[in-house]
Amino acid sequence: MELDLQPIKLQGVSEERPLVIAGPCSAETEEQVMTTATALAKNGIKIFRAGIWKPRTKPGGFEGVGEPGLEWMKRVKAETGMYVTTEVANSRHVEAALKAGIDLLWIGARTSANPFAMQEIADALKGVDIPVLVKNPVNPDLELWIGAMERLNNAGIKRLAAIHRGFTSSEKKIYRNMPLWHIPIELRRRIPALPIICDPSHIGGKRELIAPLCQQAMDMGFDGLIIESHCAPDTAWSDAAQQVTPDILDYILNLLVIREVTYTTESLSELRKQIDACDESLIQELAKRMRVAREIGTYKKEHNMAIVQTGRYNEILEKRGSQGALCGLGSEFVRIVFEAIHSESVRQQLEILNK
Ligand code: PEP
Ligand code: MN
């Protein structure tokens, strides 16, 4: 399905990249909301975020202040002139947010992963013209992400944007949620007119990662940033480690280098030709390697040998790992590439064995 989209134009908000949305993870008290919002507005932020209803992993955590917080959002609008946005997860939230005059809605990652909830929200939004920002589902499923936006679009929501907030993974090395950049990049390829906003706060999970992630998102040509900012981050009731003060946020934004998105200079297309040639020989070499692997498969079958010979596999990983390091390739990258090559060899040999 093609999405029927319109740009999210907001009066008084520059259309230049990046569109910036900032504010605390959660609205906690009226004072915290107003102090944070006033400081952000003073630094030129035009769109204020705050979670009013918070999806928590376990009961007993801070689940948001609920409807009283909407009154504080109204005050932010009235006193700072900023647009305001909050997360909605069901039709009751939608109704309350619309009644309070919330300007943009966002859908959280746990909600976009749930088609029933998405349909309920879409139904509640029938006939309403409001921008909706849809976070990627917690699991790395592009179709589910697009499906959530299709449901809203079918209900008549045309001012849509996607928020890339990273994906849950058992591998928690650097990030709280793995960025898996290829997924939003594929989304851009599939739906070029859809704005993509990066959420470095939930990808990184710690404040040191905000600046490099913002820069990375800009370098990938993303359209905007949604960043958690709190007047006293360390005392925040949720996501304390990843929030920054309005002044630190201002500092981070001022340092961003914004590069042109679509330029194809001659030298760039020359370099792209070289990349295409490299890719072509990579495929040729891989095909050659697989032909040899199949021959080995035939040999193993004739001599009744097992396909996977662990010693040999370790030797390959080690040899190529050190060769890769000498050539400036990351060890993790080399490991992943050779694991993929090895599992394709095994698959091809199994085919021969079972013939
Ligand atoms: C949030 O933005 O505070 C939030 C709950 O995010 P996510 O849905 O990405 O976990
Ligand atoms: Mn948060």
Side-chain angles (χ1 to χ4, degrees):
M1 190 195 112
E2 286 265 315
L3 293 185
D4 179 9
L5 297 171
Q6 273 169 12
I8 302 183
K9 277 202 183 115
L10 298 169
Q11 219 190 352
V13 179
S14 157
E15 279 168 45
E16 271 171 37
R17 292 164 64 233
L19 174 81
V20 178
I21 302 170
C25 177
S26 308
E28 298 162 7
T29 64
E30 184 162 11
E31 196 195 343
Q32 168 253 5
V33 166
M34 292 315 298
T35 309
T36 307
T38 312
L40 288 168
K42 201 177 99 240
N43 291 345
I45 300 295
K46 305 282 187 215
I47 310 173
F48 180 77
R49 64 149 281 159
I52 299 284
W53 300 279
K54 300 303 296 177
R56 309 309 303 193
T57 306
K58 288 183 180 160
F62 170 57
E63 300 198 306
V65 292
E67 290 195 26
L70 292 170
E71 294 303 315
W72 313 337
M73 297 296 258
K74 281 192 203 165
R75 237 192 105 190
V76 169
K77 258 179 95 155
E79 290 179 27
T80 70
M82 283 192 283
Y83 292 93
V84 293
T85 177
T86 198
E87 171 176 349
V88 289
N90 59 40
S91 55
R92 274 180 303 111
H93 298 163
V94 170
E95 276 149 35
L98 293 176
K99 204 165 126 222
I102 298 290
D103 301 291
L104 308 89
L105 304 176
W106 92 73
I107 311 291
R110 292 154 196 80
T111 309
S112 62
N114 178 346
F116 291 129
M118 280 315 304
Q119 193 55 51
E120 177 185 322
I121 292 168
D123 291 342
L125 282 170
K126 268 206 182 103
V128 181
D129 179 23
I130 187 168
V132 184
L133 318 174
V134 183
K135 290 203 175 197
N136 63 258
V138 282
N139 49 325
D141 184 342
L142 178 60
E143 299 311 320
L144 195 57
W145 195 2
I146 294 177
M149 292 186 276
E150 278 180 10
R151 288 178 197 277
L152 294 167
N153 202 226
N154 284 341
I157 298 291
K158 296 189 176 176
R159 291 189 290 160
L160 281 168
I163 299 178
H164 169 230
R165 53 75 83 192
F167 302 88
T168 302
S169 156
S170 52
E171 223 179 298
K172 288 225 165 50
K173 281 198 183 136
I174 304 174
Y175 302 106
R176 175 177 174 190
N177 290 297
M178 297 297 285
L180 308 180
W181 294 100
H182 61 280
I183 294 182
I185 287 170
E186 174 62 9
L187 177 64
R188 160 85 2 126
R189 194 187 67 78
R190 293 264 298 270
I191 316 175
L194 178 73
I196 304 181
I197 295 169
C198 181
D199 175 346
S201 312
H202 291 91
I203 294 176
K206 34 182 157 341
R207 50 186 77 106
E208 310 85 86
L209 288 176
I210 306 279
L213 283 166
C214 286
Q215 187 60 56
Q216 232 174 321
M218 287 302 101
D219 293 344
M220 309 256 180
F222 286 14
D223 306 275
L225 299 166
I226 179 166
I227 306 171
E228 286 187 342
S229 178
H230 188 293
C231 56
D234 287 327
T235 66
W237 297 2
S238 59
D239 290 353
Q242 70 195 33
Q243 304 205 55
V244 291
T245 63
D247 282 346
I248 297 284
L249 175 64
D250 190 51
Y251 180 80
I252 291 172
L253 293 174
N254 282 325
L255 284 180
L256 282 182
V257 179
I258 310 296
R259 301 178 172 93
E260 284 291 334
V261 189
T262 46
Y263 63 92
T264 309
T265 59
E266 295 213 342
S267 54
L268 190 57
S269 53
E270 183 45 47
L271 289 170
R272 283 188 174 147
K273 268 189 218 148
Q274 290 184 33
I275 292 275
D276 286 343
C278 290
D279 288 349
E280 197 185 313
S281 37
L282 277 174
I283 292 287
Q284 298 287 355
E285 286 302 313
L286 284 172
K288 194 158 105 194
R289 193 188 191 283
M290 293 307 155
R291 280 197 293 277
V292 179
R294 283 198 299 273
E295 260 177 60
I296 295 180
T298 311
Y299 180 91
K300 284 178 182 163
K301 184 177 183 178
E302 283 165 6
H303 294 79
N304 212 18
M305 287 167 72
I307 293 290
V308 180
Q309 308 273 320
T310 320
R312 172 66 182 145
Y313 180 41
N314 285 339
E315 182 193 325
I316 290 177
L317 282 183
E318 234 161 73
K319 260 198 206 159
R320 296 313 146 207
S322 21
Q323 187 197 358
L326 287 175
C327 305
L329 298 175
S331 60
E332 182 64 5
F333 168 71
V334 174
R335 187 186 61 76
I336 291 170
V337 168
F338 274 89
E339 269 177 13
I341 292 176
H342 184 255
S343 75
E344 175 63 7
S345 284
V346 170
R347 191 189 67 78
Q348 298 221 9
Q349 293 190 357
L350 278 174
E351 247 177 37
I352 288 173
L353 198 70
N354 295 326
K355 235 193 241 157

